[in-house]
Amino acid sequence: MLAAFIVLILMYYKSPPSKKCPPPIVPPGQWGHKATFYKTLNLTTSPQSSTEALKKNKTLMLLWSWPENKRFDPQVCEAYFGFDSCQLTDDKSLYSSARGVLFFHKDIQDDLSNLPTLRRPRFQRWIWLNTDSPSNTRRIEGIQDLFNLTMSFRQDADIQAHWKVSYRTNTDEPFQLPKKERLVCWITGSDGLHTQSRESFIYYRELVKHIKVDVFYFAEFSRSEEYFLTISTCKFYLSFEDSIHRDYITETFNGPLAAGTVPIVLGPPRLNYEDFIPGDAFIHVGDFPDASKLAEFLLKLDKDYHSYIKYFNWQRSYIARPHLIEENYEFAHVVCKACNHLSVYKEYRAIPDLYKWFFV
Ligand SMILES: *[C@@H]1O[C@H](CO)[C@@H](O)[C@H](O)[C@H]1NC(C)=O
Ligand SMILES: *[C@@H]1O[C@H](CO)[C@@H](O)[C@H](O)[C@H]1NC(C)=O
Ligand SMILES: *[C@@H]1O[C@H](CO)[C@@H](O)[C@H](O)[C@H]1NC(C)=O
């Protein structure tokens, strides 16, 4: 265990690129626009069968239910995320040989009637997956002590659900600022811009009194390409979380980072965001006494290229990868990541009280 830990630490410290010669940031005038920041999903070969995976000794993870019934091609784990040591299956007849079983919290029935009834093999680990914040999580009684691994947005979960920026490597293209056509944008999932009582909507309504915001709806985008292109045309993007909790920082933050846009965040405190990215990569609504002062600041930045471009300094060392927005692939990342975790880490653990940890 200790040796593995030391190796991990060494790997971690070996990976950062040298800070000596950061690549230049190309100003927008020189930008020959070719959107290369997304990778189109193209799954051509047929998915590997589970028995084949067993033969190859890949770790087998059983997905007990497809989160929100969104079925995706398991091949995406390898094709898009590069996880190749684990095989995902939804075939319940393989229960007894699965190294791990992944349960999506929301899909568990209140009476637990859709949980496995067979005895759990000794080597098998049950993973609790919850991508919601505590205020949107239903308390289901009787599951507090069932799991061996947790997966959520919390940093102290065994597996974290976040999209993370990674260190930029020599093979990554240098960052280029995309052409900007809009000032502030927001893509929201919900109707009711004028009626919703969530903090994000209240703040939005204050903000639009002082500055123009272009609003789009998630439903308008079916492909990553259009989604990221649209965000890239905006100077600023409202990365407003739908509820405010420690570590609850979702794809709404990753989107603008990957697209080359400055996120304006509403969520946990600034310091919490700085656990994930340098503090000069985003604007926090809490940095301003109110929405009018924020608007004033944005209007000033709009006319000050040198101050604006500084928000992309983080891109010299890091790179954000676009997440998948294709409808059925919403949970592909977390599911693949869980599968990969199983194949890489072998820790043995039981969680005595899930809720005591999660609902704090
Ligand atoms: C997917 O990839 C295959 C082989 O690389 C190619 O022939 C096909 O045209 C691609 N499909 C799409 C939709 O890009
Ligand atoms: C798979 O594992 C078994 C038992 O550990 C071993 O005998 C076999 O050679 C392995 N197969 C491959 C392809 O690695
Ligand atoms: C998993 O958790 C269960 C329930 O707490 C426990 O009985 C079991 O020993 C754990 N198994 C592993 C492999 O950690």
Side-chain angles (χ1 to χ4, degrees), residues 120 122 124-125 145-148 348-350:
R120 181 183 335 191
R122 281 190 49 193
Q124 189 177 77
R125 287 172 291 168
D145 60 354
L146 285 186
F147 299 98
N148 305 101
Y348 180 100
R349 173 167 125 83

Side-chain angles (χ1 to χ4, degrees), residues 72-194:
F72 58 84
D73 184 341
Q75 213 202 331
V76 72
C77 294
E78 187 166 352
Y80 192 82
F81 303 113
F83 297 143
D84 61 0
S85 55
C86 179
Q87 178 67 37
L88 189 63
T89 182
D90 65 353
D91 181 352
K92 290 201 168 79
S93 72
L94 295 173
Y95 174 79
S96 308
S97 46
R99 292 273 146 186
V101 185
L102 184 67
F103 298 91
F104 186 61
H105 179 82
K106 235 197 238 169
D107 289 343
I108 300 176
Q109 274 165 17
D110 285 324
D111 60 4
L112 315 187
S113 59
N114 62 344
L115 290 181
T117 47
L118 288 170
R119 210 181 57 80
R120 181 183 335 191
R122 281 190 49 193
F123 56 80
Q124 189 177 77
R125 287 172 291 168
W126 286 17
I127 309 169
W128 180 73
L129 167 63
N130 181 13
T131 51
D132 287 319
S133 70
S135 40
N136 292 319
T137 298
R138 202 166 103 250
R139 248 177 201 276
I140 305 168
E141 291 310 321
I143 62 164
Q144 292 93 317
D145 60 354
L146 285 186
F147 299 98
N148 305 101
L149 294 166
T150 54
M151 180 167 200
S152 86
F153 279 98
R154 282 272 294 275
Q155 285 186 80
D156 54 0
D158 299 298
I159 316 168
Q160 293 180 20
H162 298 98
W163 274 86
K164 288 207 182 118
V165 296
S166 44
Y167 287 110
R168 196 173 271 280
T169 64
N170 294 339
T171 53
D172 290 316
E173 286 183 27
F175 173 71
Q176 299 188 315
L177 185 70
K179 195 166 169 201
K180 301 298 182 188
E181 292 158 4
R182 302 177 173 98
L183 190 55
V184 185
C185 301
W186 191 25
I187 303 181
T188 168
S190 346
D191 280 337
L193 281 182
H194 306 291

Side-chain angles (χ1 to χ4, degrees), residues 35-68:
T36 49
F37 49 73
Y38 64 89
K39 191 162 135 193
T40 309
L41 266 185
N42 182 358
L43 306 165
T44 44
T45 60
S46 63
Q48 202 181 38
S49 78
S50 304
T51 39
E52 217 177 302
L54 287 176
K55 270 189 257 147
K56 284 194 181 161
N57 289 355
K58 282 194 183 190
T59 304
L60 186 68
M61 187 181 85
L62 172 60
L63 187 54
W64 193 251
S65 68
W66 292 91
E68 294 183 1

Side-chain angles (χ1 to χ4, degrees), residues 6 9-10 38 47 50 60 68 83-84 102 124 141 182 213 224 226 261 274 285 314 337 360:
I6 289 166
I9 299 241
L10 287 176
Y38 64 89
S50 304
L60 186 68
E68 294 183 1
F83 297 143
D84 61 0
L102 184 67
Q124 189 177 77
E141 291 310 321
R182 302 177 173 98
V213 178
S224 303
E226 301 153 21
T261 297
E274 293 180 9
V285 298
W314 65 276
K337 206 172 164 185
V360 278

